[in-house]
Amino acid sequence: MPTMIFVNLPVKDLGKSTAFYEALGYQRNPQFSDENASSIVISEQIHVMLLTEKFFSTFTKKAIADATTTTEAIVALSAESREAVDALADKALASGGSFSNEPMDEGFMYGRSFQDPDGHLWEVVWMDPAAAQGHQS
Protein backbone atom coordinates (compact mmCIF):
# COMPACT_ATOMS: atom_id res chain seq x y z
CA MET A 1 0.00 0.00 0.00
CA PRO A 2 1.48 3.39 -0.96
CA THR A 3 2.14 5.92 1.76
CA MET A 4 -0.66 8.43 2.06
CA ILE A 5 -0.48 12.00 3.31
CA PHE A 6 -3.19 13.80 5.25
CA VAL A 7 -2.59 17.55 5.45
CA ASN A 8 -4.53 18.90 8.44
CA LEU A 9 -5.41 22.58 8.16
CA PRO A 10 -7.24 24.78 10.67
CA VAL A 11 -10.00 26.88 9.08
CA LYS A 12 -12.13 29.75 10.31
CA ASP A 13 -15.20 28.98 8.17
CA LEU A 14 -15.57 25.28 7.30
CA GLY A 15 -18.27 25.85 4.68
CA LYS A 16 -16.32 28.56 2.86
CA SER A 17 -13.10 26.53 2.92
CA THR A 18 -14.87 23.37 1.73
CA ALA A 19 -16.47 25.29 -1.14
CA PHE A 20 -13.06 26.69 -2.14
CA TYR A 21 -11.47 23.25 -2.49
CA GLU A 22 -14.54 21.86 -4.27
CA ALA A 23 -14.29 24.77 -6.73
CA LEU A 24 -10.77 23.57 -7.54
CA GLY A 25 -12.31 20.28 -8.66
CA TYR A 26 -11.58 18.19 -5.57
CA GLN A 27 -14.18 15.97 -3.91
CA ARG A 28 -15.34 16.05 -0.27
CA ASN A 29 -15.42 12.58 1.30
CA PRO A 30 -18.61 12.55 3.40
CA GLN A 31 -17.46 9.44 5.30
CA PHE A 32 -14.82 11.51 7.11
CA SER A 33 -16.63 14.86 7.15
CA ASP A 34 -19.00 16.41 9.67
CA GLU A 35 -19.69 19.79 11.32
CA ASN A 36 -16.05 19.91 12.53
CA ALA A 37 -14.17 18.63 9.49
CA SER A 38 -14.20 18.24 5.73
CA SER A 39 -12.09 15.52 4.19
CA ILE A 40 -11.00 16.75 0.76
CA VAL A 41 -9.64 14.16 -1.67
CA ILE A 42 -6.82 15.56 -3.81
CA SER A 43 -5.79 12.09 -5.07
CA GLU A 44 -5.83 8.51 -3.82
CA GLN A 45 -2.75 9.25 -1.72
CA ILE A 46 -3.31 12.92 -0.79
CA HIS A 47 -6.11 14.21 1.42
CA VAL A 48 -6.62 17.61 3.02
CA MET A 49 -8.43 17.59 6.33
CA LEU A 50 -10.07 20.98 6.86
CA LEU A 51 -10.70 21.26 10.59
CA THR A 52 -12.51 24.03 12.44
CA GLU A 53 -10.00 25.88 14.61
CA LYS A 54 -11.73 24.65 17.77
CA PHE A 55 -11.53 21.02 16.63
CA PHE A 56 -7.96 21.45 15.29
CA SER A 57 -6.87 22.73 18.71
CA THR A 58 -7.79 19.37 20.28
CA PHE A 59 -4.88 17.77 18.37
CA THR A 60 -2.13 20.10 19.59
CA LYS A 61 -0.94 21.93 22.68
CA LYS A 62 0.61 24.67 20.55
CA ALA A 63 -1.11 27.88 19.50
CA ILE A 64 -2.67 27.78 16.04
CA ALA A 65 -0.74 29.93 13.59
CA ASP A 66 -2.61 32.71 11.83
CA ALA A 67 -1.70 31.73 8.27
CA THR A 68 -2.71 35.17 7.00
CA THR A 69 0.30 36.68 8.82
CA THR A 70 2.64 33.72 9.50
CA THR A 71 3.94 31.04 7.15
CA GLU A 72 3.31 27.68 8.78
CA ALA A 73 4.18 25.55 5.73
CA ILE A 74 3.99 25.56 1.94
CA VAL A 75 2.14 22.59 0.47
CA ALA A 76 3.23 21.77 -3.08
CA LEU A 77 1.36 19.66 -5.61
CA SER A 78 2.70 18.35 -8.89
CA ALA A 79 0.91 18.99 -12.16
CA GLU A 80 1.04 17.11 -15.47
CA SER A 81 1.79 20.19 -17.59
CA ARG A 82 2.40 23.92 -17.55
CA GLU A 83 -1.22 24.36 -18.65
CA ALA A 84 -2.42 22.29 -15.69
CA VAL A 85 -0.39 24.54 -13.35
CA ASP A 86 -2.08 27.62 -14.80
CA ALA A 87 -5.53 26.02 -14.75
CA LEU A 88 -5.38 25.13 -11.05
CA ALA A 89 -3.81 28.44 -9.99
CA ASP A 90 -6.36 30.40 -12.04
CA LYS A 91 -9.23 28.38 -10.49
CA ALA A 92 -7.86 29.10 -7.02
CA LEU A 93 -7.69 32.84 -7.67
CA ALA A 94 -11.19 32.88 -9.20
CA SER A 95 -12.66 30.87 -6.31
CA GLY A 96 -11.63 32.94 -3.30
CA GLY A 97 -7.91 32.27 -3.12
CA SER A 98 -5.37 35.05 -3.27
CA PHE A 99 -2.05 35.79 -4.96
CA SER A 100 1.04 34.51 -3.18
CA ASN A 101 4.19 34.85 -5.33
CA GLU A 102 5.21 35.56 -8.89
CA PRO A 103 5.26 32.51 -11.19
CA MET A 104 8.53 30.57 -11.22
CA ASP A 105 9.78 29.58 -14.67
CA GLU A 106 13.08 27.73 -15.01
CA GLY A 107 12.23 26.32 -18.46
CA PHE A 108 12.28 22.66 -17.34
CA MET A 109 10.28 23.57 -14.22
CA TYR A 110 7.28 25.88 -13.91
CA GLY A 111 5.20 26.75 -10.89
CA ARG A 112 2.65 29.12 -9.47
CA SER A 113 1.45 29.71 -5.95
CA PHE A 114 -1.67 30.91 -4.16
CA GLN A 115 -3.20 31.22 -0.71
CA ASP A 116 -6.47 29.56 0.25
CA PRO A 117 -9.15 31.62 2.06
CA ASP A 118 -7.41 30.98 5.41
CA GLY A 119 -3.98 32.04 4.12
CA HIS A 120 -2.49 28.54 3.79
CA LEU A 121 0.18 28.59 1.07
CA TRP A 122 -0.01 26.24 -1.90
CA GLU A 123 2.29 25.73 -4.89
CA VAL A 124 1.52 23.90 -8.13
CA VAL A 125 4.60 22.73 -10.02
CA TRP A 126 5.30 21.04 -13.35
CA MET A 127 8.71 19.60 -14.13
CA ASP A 128 9.89 18.12 -17.44
CA PRO A 129 11.42 14.82 -16.29
CA ALA A 130 13.80 14.54 -19.25
CA ALA A 131 15.15 18.07 -18.85
CA ALA A 132 15.31 17.79 -15.06
CA GLN A 133 17.66 14.77 -15.30
CA GLY A 134 20.29 17.02 -16.82
CA HIS A 135 20.08 19.29 -13.76
CA GLN A 136 20.89 16.59 -11.18
CA SER A 137 24.28 16.55 -9.55
Side-chain angles (χ1 to χ4, degrees):
M1 177 179 195
T3 299
M4 297 175 71
I5 184 169
F6 296 86
V7 179
N8 294 277
L9 298 176
V11 300
K12 294 187 184 315
D13 182 329
L14 186 59
K16 179 179 179 180
S17 294
T18 300
F20 172 78
Y21 287 94
E22 289 177 327
L24 298 183
Y26 302 126
Q27 300 293 313
R28 180 178 169 270
N29 181 346
Q31 183 179 2
F32 298 106
S33 301
D34 60 21
E35 68 279 355
N36 293 310
S38 282
S39 174
I40 305 296
V41 180
I42 304 290
S43 72
E44 286 187 43
Q45 287 79 32
I46 304 169
H47 299 253
V48 176
M49 296 300 297
L50 304 174
L51 308 174
T52 62
E53 288 182 340
K54 182 178 179 182
F55 187 54
F56 185 92
S57 69
T58 67
F59 295 97
T60 182
K61 294 179 181 168
K62 292 182 177 183
I64 296 174
D66 178 353
T68 63
T69 61
T70 303
T71 300
E72 73 218 313
I74 301 172
V75 181
L77 298 173
S78 63
E80 293 183 6
S81 66
R82 295 172 69 94
E83 294 79 17
V85 168
D86 287 335
L88 185 58
D90 289 344
K91 272 189 211 174
L93 296 174
S95 301
S98 59
F99 178 80
S100 182
N101 283 320
E102 294 297 326
M104 178 267 311
D105 192 346
E106 299 294 327
F108 72 98
M109 185 167 57
Y110 175 70
R112 288 183 52 197
S113 57
F114 60 87
Q115 299 178 58
D116 73 9
D118 289 280
H120 303 292
L121 299 175
W122 288 85
E123 289 185 347
V124 188
V125 180
W126 166 82
M127 186 180 317
D128 178 351
Q133 292 211 5
H135 285 75
Q136 295 177 355
S137 17

